[in-house]
Amino acid sequence: MAFFECSGLRFMLSLPENETFAHPSSVIHFQVTHIKSAYEEMLKKGAAFVSEPHLTAKMGQTETWMAFFNGTEGHTHALMSEAEV
């Protein structure tokens, strides 16, 4: 996994965690402040989540959490939150 900061946008390159994520399109990550509350709110509105919020990376004093979901056109996207530990 590698992160690139480009004029305020962050790009992540990585291999798929499993076959669910092995597809030809990009995964768009939506940064949220509180991932668990954003996840719960989207669930209430009928979002089709592939995974619950889970820790994906530790970088120094920062943890990156993600929750993957399917968009209306079937593409995988993610909620992402960074927390100081």
Side-chain angles (χ1 to χ4, degrees), residues 7-79:
S7 299
L9 296 174
R10 184 181 305 162
F11 294 96
M12 178 185 81
L13 299 177
S14 70
L15 296 173
E17 286 182 43
N18 58 50
E19 282 297 313
T20 303
F21 303 115
H23 51 78
S25 67
S26 298
V27 177
I28 298 175
H29 295 77
F30 297 92
Q31 189 165 6
V32 296
T33 304
H34 303 286
I35 195 164
K36 290 183 182 180
S37 59
Y39 169 80
E40 292 294 332
E41 186 65 30
M42 287 182 67
L43 269 180
K44 288 179 189 175
K45 293 180 179 182
F49 277 89
V50 177
S51 68
E52 294 182 359
H54 60 281
L55 180 64
T56 57
K58 287 186 178 188
M59 295 176 277
Q61 297 299 314
T62 304
E63 292 182 345
T64 302
W65 287 74
M66 293 185 189
F68 293 90
F69 64 96
N70 292 322
T72 57
E73 296 179 358
H75 299 290
T76 302
H77 302 300
L79 297 178

